[in-house]
Amino acid sequence: MAAAGDEYDPTPSEDELESHLQTRNMVVNLGPSHPATHGTVRLKIELDGETIVKMDTEIGFLHRGFQKSCENVTWTQVLPYTDRLDYVASLQNNFGYLAAVENLMGVVIPERAQYIRVIGSELHRIASHLTTAGALSLELGGFGAFLYAIEARELIIDRVTELSGARLTTSYGRIGGLNRDVPEGWTDKVLKSLIKIEELAGEVEGLMTRNRIFTDRTRGTGIITKEDALDFGFTGPCLRACGVSYDVRKAKPYWVYDKLDFEVPVGVNGDNYDRYYLRVLEIAQSMKMIRQAIAQMPQGPVMVDDWRIALPPKENVYNSIEGVIAHFKLVMEGVPVPPGEAYHATESPNGELGWYLRSDGSGRPYKIHVRAPGFQILSGLGRMCEGRMLADLIPTFDTINMIGGEVEQ
Amino acid sequence: MRIGFLFVSAALILGGFFSLMAAAYALSGFLEGVGIEHLGIHGLSGIGVIAVVMLGGVMVLSTLLTMAERKWSALIQNRVGPNRIHLPIPGLKDNALFGLPHIAPDVLKMLSKEAFRPKAANKFLFDLAPMLAFGPVFALFAIVPAGPTLDIFGHRVMMAVASPDFGLLYLFAIASLAVYGTSLAGWSSNNKFALLGGVRASSQMISYEVALGLSLVGMMISFSTVRLSGVGGIAESQAAYLWSTHIGSLDVGLPMWGIFIQPLGFVLFFAASFAETKRAPFDSPEGESEIVGYFLEYSGMQFGMFMISEFVEVVVLSGVLVTIFFGAWHLPFGNEALQQVQFLRDYPILMGALFGTVFWLKVLALIFLQLLIRWTFPRFRYDQVQNLGWKILLPMGLFNLFVTGALILWDPSLRYLALFGFVVIGIFLFLSLTPPRQVRLAEAAADDHGGGHGHGGHDDHGDAHALPANTH
């Protein structure tokens, strides 16, 4: 604008012609209740057209006070709370927590229990990966693959139900082993289910892996570099997709993972496609592991033979004073975890599920902190999405597989 | 039991189409006669076509499609689909009737819901948008001939509402009007997500019009006409044979269908018109998992209008495709023989109904194809849709146009064009049947943490190395 008094010059200056239209960025809220944000999370997005300029991730809608709740119950009673962390793979949380407590106590569980834990963990890893791949397809508009994946997951949930009695809130396993052995004929059923799951996973893969539209949507989107991923603290498939071969099962083997022959697939580009395809490969590896574990699984007890940790058999409780006392002390005071602190990690479907436990010897946890893999990965979501298109956010959010329960605890 | 049921439903479908078309011819012939004899005007048969073919055919088919989509998608996804409503009629109590009774409560729900309007929305435009989205789509069918032109009650009756000289140009003109409905819906709702959807829709629909038009030019120059119906129109020209012979009185041969002489044009037009209908995989304006869609703020029957216009689009698009590329109402062979049957010549209504049934069956097949695509593919990204339109469909359309033009100049009988068409079909078949080259696989780097890995005694489990991993 010419100031008052200036002579009007009809020839426009170069700047005037070149200057862009003055626009404002648009701020939209994706979530907390939005079809793409499964698990309640709010994504505050500043958009320039369709491009994400800035993104804030806001969590806390599913906060349940997990840590504080754990401090008020005995070590065994923490178990049901862990179901609700990564509810897609609750056995992983159960066993991860138990392994951490056993680590703090210095207890080695019977080998059969270790094998069953491996089988359960890997079953739930397959379930989680299938859900991720299916949800990815669903949100890209391919409803069919999602339902095939869910059908396969349903088989796993059926097997888990036979194992633990619950579909999602498994609470399976106890400190020192397992509360009960696998049902009769269960392993055969698992093997049969695996065949069907393989078939369904093949359908899912057939609909997605080589689908041009799918690869266009996922390749080169949601990229994170190896350095950034390490800085953010990524673990699991999201880190391995960047090319870092880090898997707790290999890096620090627990239970019987060192007796199983499996490989850790590693990606190259760290984009959505790698994260998706890595999960597909891991499903195959998990199946291999389950088959090996079932073949190798020895007979024997599934619980340590120590009445300070394991509940005594009922006939001892009813008929002997030692049994009654052991039972009473276990129920009223809890498992005597010695004072001290420990960090123990297992490989959950999303990455390193770490448990930092501190005990003061009172029978209840003094402090429990969960290093949920999803939290670190969610914090990197902004880095993956800023400067990219809004539509890329959707597959990215899916492939990082954010689970509200474990991120917000 | 099940096979019997299938026969009954197939007979119902055939009978439905047949009686629909018979009614259309009868009513149109009657109206034409009334018009000419009492009012002195031609073309009243169009009213009969509107009443029977468009309202009775297109609209009913679209309504049934709401259920067919749910049932067919259930088939694709290994589900049962809606089957909860049973009619309290003796004998049918235990039969879900393919879920058809679900249509009634669906419509009742839509009609009885509150038509909510956001406070800050522009009242006029907000109410106008659903109508603008529905109207043009429905009007598209006006130039599609659903059957042959016949003499009914002594008057020539054309099975299209109108047969303008500009034929296909009407199609392009009206199709481009549909963009107003969607963009206005997005704009007037005063909602950010709806706005994004409206912007996406308008840019997508406008840019695909170019490819849409270009893909049909090949057909236009093949038959040197832009008219669809009427003598010399694209629909009737396709009845001619490229190569033919007679077996007895039956004429057999390869008809001049658009799919044979213009397969590339068909694929381009199909893709472009799919993008125009905004259905998956081109449904980024809707993108329910991203931005929910341009009709986000609509409820009740206003939302229903958007939904039903989508289904009408499917039917109309199938009708257009059948007319331009699949020989309209013609059978692939035996048309001449059928037209010589004395019984049918005596009762032209029956002949019209017969050919009309052929038309609707082809439409039904193409509807199924569209739903198959819609339920198989994921969604394009907004900019990839543009890339496909401008960088692939448009150059291919130009290529198709030049090749078609050259081949027609060389051989006006269109046989060389058909040979070229076979080559194209062969290429498409080759591309879709050969397995794609191996996708880039995530390479397994040597695992340097793997202490204790690969213990002896487990090698018998570890030989399934189909996976691209080289851990050892």
Side-chain angles (χ1 to χ4, degrees):
Chain A
M1 274 287 152
D6 283 358
E7 201 177 328
Y8 177 65
D9 180 11
T11 43
S13 71
E14 204 63 21
D15 290 353
E16 270 177 281
L17 288 179
E18 292 292 314
S19 70
H20 289 288
L21 206 60
Q22 288 301 308
T23 55
R24 271 182 307 154
N25 288 343
M26 184 162 80
V27 179
V28 294
N29 273 306
L30 252 71
S33 89
H34 180 276
T37 58
H38 38 87
T40 24
V41 63
R42 177 171 171 225
L43 307 171
K44 245 169 85 182
I45 297 168
E46 203 179 313
L47 284 177
D48 177 13
E50 286 260 343
T51 313
I52 297 173
V53 180
K54 198 164 163 293
M55 188 172 111
D56 282 333
T57 315
E58 197 181 307
I59 62 167
F61 297 94
L62 215 58
H63 183 72
R64 311 178 297 288
F66 170 78
Q67 297 190 0
K68 198 66 197 167
S69 306
C70 292
E71 288 167 24
N72 295 323
V73 293
T74 64
W75 289 95
T76 311
Q77 286 166 336
V78 169
L79 202 57
Y81 292 127
T82 64
D83 293 336
R84 277 90 176 159
L85 289 173
D86 181 353
Y87 38 73
V88 185
S90 41
L91 281 181
Q92 292 264 8
N93 307 317
N94 296 159
F95 296 156
Y97 165 72
L98 295 174
V101 178
E102 285 149 9
N103 186 43
L104 183 56
M105 296 170 71
V107 174
V108 178
I109 63 172
E111 202 175 2
R112 185 175 172 82
Q114 296 187 18
Y115 273 106
I116 294 172
R117 280 190 186 181
V118 166
I119 294 167
S121 298
E122 295 307 318
L123 273 179
H124 255 165
R125 189 186 314 281
I126 297 173
S128 174
H129 285 353
L130 278 172
T131 314
T132 310
L136 174 61
S137 167
L138 170 69
E139 256 136 47
L140 292 181
F143 203 71
F146 171 70
L147 288 172
Y148 287 126
I150 291 300
E151 196 185 336
R153 192 186 81 143
E154 202 59 31
L155 285 171
I156 296 177
I157 289 185
D158 283 348
R159 298 294 86 76
V160 169
T161 312
E162 286 159 11
L163 192 65
S164 69
R167 281 169 57 84
L168 287 175
T169 50
T170 50
S171 301
Y172 185 57
R174 294 290 180 270
I175 298 166
L178 301 167
N179 48 338
R180 54 175 164 167
D181 204 340
V182 296
E184 203 171 316
W186 186 77
T187 48
D188 293 336
K189 261 184 156 174
V190 169
L191 290 175
K192 276 181 191 159
S193 306
L194 283 187
I195 295 169
K196 182 76 183 155
I197 291 164
E198 220 160 17
E199 202 177 291
L200 287 164
E203 293 260 15
V204 174
E205 218 207 316
L207 279 168
M208 293 164 77
T209 304
R210 286 167 184 174
N211 186 324
R212 179 64 195 267
I213 302 175
F214 175 76
T215 51
D216 275 356
R217 283 297 301 270
T218 48
R219 273 192 195 163
T221 62
I223 294 180
I224 190 154
T225 60
K226 194 189 277 188
E227 293 73 30
D228 279 348
L230 286 169
D231 286 350
F232 273 111
F234 278 31
T235 45
C238 293
L239 179 67
R240 290 196 285 274
C242 308
V244 182
S245 174
Y246 173 69
D247 187 320
V248 183
R249 291 171 297 176
K250 287 278 190 197
K252 206 165 175 285
Y254 48 96
W255 302 329
V256 288
Y257 276 115
D258 51 356
K259 294 183 189 169
L260 302 176
D261 177 28
F262 67 101
E263 284 139 15
V264 179
V266 174
V268 181
N269 293 354
D271 58 2
N272 284 326
Y273 187 81
D274 278 13
R275 285 196 282 273
Y276 154 75
Y277 199 59
L278 206 76
R279 288 195 161 93
V280 171
L281 295 177
E282 281 193 10
I283 290 175
Q285 291 295 328
S286 290
M287 289 189 184
K288 200 168 124 187
M289 265 184 258
I290 294 172
R291 292 197 172 112
Q292 290 176 39
I294 287 178
Q296 294 174 16
M297 192 161 70
Q299 293 296 327
V302 292
M303 194 70 182
V304 290
D305 188 22
D306 184 347
W307 287 3
R308 284 170 305 168
I309 300 167
L311 282 174
K314 276 286 176 281
E315 55 264 32
N316 294 84
V317 177
Y318 293 142
N319 298 326
S320 73
I321 188 73
E322 293 84 359
V324 175
I325 290 174
H327 187 274
F328 179 83
K329 283 181 81 70
L330 260 177
V331 172
M332 299 310 288
E333 291 172 6
V335 179
V337 178
E341 56 187 64
Y343 176 84
H344 187 267
T346 53
E347 181 75 18
S348 89
N350 287 337
E352 179 176 334
L353 178 69
W355 296 83
Y356 173 70
L357 308 176
R358 189 162 179 166
S359 168
D360 57 359
S362 68
R364 281 157 206 256
Y366 182 76
K367 174 84 184 164
I368 287 184
H369 174 78
V370 190
R371 184 216 178 273
F375 183 78
Q376 283 79 5
I377 297 170
L378 187 68
S379 64
L381 184 64
R383 174 66 64 92
M384 292 189 233
C385 289
E386 274 170 19
R388 314 294 303 212
M389 295 190 79
L390 174 63
D392 287 342
L393 167 65
I394 308 301
T396 311
F397 190 79
D398 276 312
T399 51
I400 66 168
N401 192 21
M402 174 244 166
I403 303 285
E406 69 170 13
V407 170
E408 300 171 14
Q409 298 174 9
Chain B
M1 172 63 199
R2 203 168 164 75
I3 291 183
F5 216 80
L6 280 178
F7 271 117
V8 169
S9 20
L12 272 178
I13 290 170
L14 285 176
F17 285 146
F18 193 84
S19 43
L20 176 85
M21 291 311 291
Y25 273 103
L27 185 64
S28 307
F30 172 71
L31 285 173
E32 185 78 17
V34 168
I36 289 173
E37 281 157 26
H38 299 284
L39 305 169
I41 45 172
H42 288 270
L44 270 192
S45 62
I47 297 176
V49 180
I50 293 179
V52 182
V53 176
M54 289 181 70
L55 291 179
V58 177
M59 280 312 289
V60 169
L61 212 53
S62 315
T63 316
L64 290 178
L65 201 54
T66 57
M67 187 44 57
E69 169 146 53
R70 288 155 78 177
K71 272 306 212 188
W72 286 345
S73 66
L75 261 181
I76 292 167
Q77 293 157 358
N78 223 352
R79 295 185 283 125
V80 180
N83 66 348
R84 288 296 92 188
I85 300 182
H86 293 214
L87 296 177
I89 300 170
L92 289 176
K93 258 184 193 158
D94 298 329
N95 199 323
L97 293 173
F98 302 118
L100 284 178
H102 278 260
I103 293 173
D106 280 355
V107 174
L108 280 178
K109 182 196 77 177
M110 290 268 193
L111 286 172
S112 57
K113 267 197 171 177
E114 181 195 358
F116 176 79
R117 188 176 59 238
K119 238 181 190 164
N122 185 319
K123 182 179 184 311
F124 176 67
L125 293 180
F126 189 82
D127 291 341
L128 186 67
M131 300 178 210
L132 275 183
F134 178 75
V137 175
F138 190 53
L140 267 187
F141 203 80
I143 55 157
V144 175
T149 305
L150 295 169
D151 284 325
I152 312 277
F153 307 139
H155 303 288
R156 285 200 80 71
V157 169
M158 194 176 274
M159 244 325 99
V161 178
S163 175
D165 289 337
F166 42 85
L168 281 174
L169 302 183
Y170 170 87
L171 188 95
F172 301 142
I174 299 295
S176 62
L177 281 181
V179 71
Y180 286 108
T182 48
S183 52
L184 276 184
W187 188 267
S188 64
S189 302
N190 195 32
N191 179 307
K192 289 167 180 171
F193 288 111
L195 177 64
L196 278 173
V199 171
R200 282 183 185 190
S202 47
S203 67
Q204 174 177 325
M205 290 170 83
I206 287 171
S207 51
Y208 267 78
E209 257 149 39
V210 186
L212 190 76
L214 204 60
S215 60
L216 283 189
V217 177
M219 278 309 277
M220 294 177 194
I221 60 175
S222 299
F223 297 121
S224 8
T225 182
V226 292
R227 282 168 57 138
L228 274 181
S229 49
V231 181
I234 289 178
E236 290 198 0
S237 308
Q238 290 180 74
Y241 287 110
L242 287 160
W243 293 277
S244 70
T245 177
H246 279 78
I247 303 173
S249 62
L250 188 71
D251 52 313
V252 289
L254 186 75
M256 221 179 261
W257 286 8
I259 183 77
F260 298 125
I261 56 175
Q262 284 282 305
L264 193 57
F266 166 70
V267 171
L268 296 178
F269 180 74
F270 198 34
S273 50
F274 228 97
E276 286 273 308
T277 59
K278 306 179 295 298
R279 280 170 70 80
F282 295 98
D283 64 342
S284 60
E286 194 182 323
E288 74 271 356
S289 61
E290 297 161 23
I291 54 165
V292 192
Y294 52 89
F295 45 58
L296 170 62
E297 290 287 2
Y298 286 88
S299 57
M301 202 54 210
Q302 283 183 317
F303 169 73
M305 288 281 268
F306 282 111
M307 279 318 273
I308 199 74
S309 70
E310 213 173 81
F311 288 110
V312 172
E313 264 172 347
V314 172
V315 179
V316 171
L317 172 60
S318 301
V320 171
L321 279 168
V322 165
T323 311
I324 302 177
F325 290 103
F326 289 92
W329 61 84
H330 300 293
L331 288 165
F333 55 85
N335 288 310
E336 290 166 24
L338 207 59
Q339 274 160 358
Q340 299 306 321
V341 175
Q342 194 55 41
F343 177 72
L344 289 178
R345 289 174 78 86
D346 292 344
Y347 299 96
I349 291 182
L350 291 187
M351 189 194 282
L354 196 66
F355 282 114
T357 310
V358 174
F359 173 82
W360 286 111
L361 286 182
K362 287 181 189 172
V363 168
L364 207 58
L366 275 177
I367 289 174
F368 185 69
L369 176 68
Q370 287 192 47
L371 287 194
L372 211 57
I373 293 172
R374 188 244 177 281
W375 286 103
T376 310
F377 289 120
R379 175 183 311 123
F380 279 105
R381 202 173 64 197
Y382 163 73
D383 60 324
Q384 288 162 351
V385 170
Q386 304 283 348
N387 276 349
L388 179 73
W390 291 108
K391 292 185 183 165
I392 299 176
L393 293 190
L394 190 64
M396 292 258 281
L398 281 172
F399 169 75
N400 184 41
L401 175 59
F402 288 130
V403 172
T404 308
L407 286 172
I408 288 173
L409 271 182
W410 193 10
D411 172 38
S413 73
L414 302 186
R415 286 181 179 165
Y416 286 180
L417 194 61
L419 289 178
F420 175 69
F422 288 140
V423 173
V424 174
I425 292 176
I427 292 173
F428 279 135
L429 282 180
F430 175 76
L431 286 180
S432 41
L433 294 184
T434 46
R437 72 190 151 73
Q438 200 70 14
V439 288
R440 181 202 61 207
L441 298 167
E443 290 162 13
D447 184 20
D448 42 7
H449 308 294
H453 167 67
H455 276 234
H458 304 306
D459 288 347
D460 51 330
H461 303 290
D463 47 8
H465 284 307
L467 283 157
N470 52 348
T471 323
H472 296 281

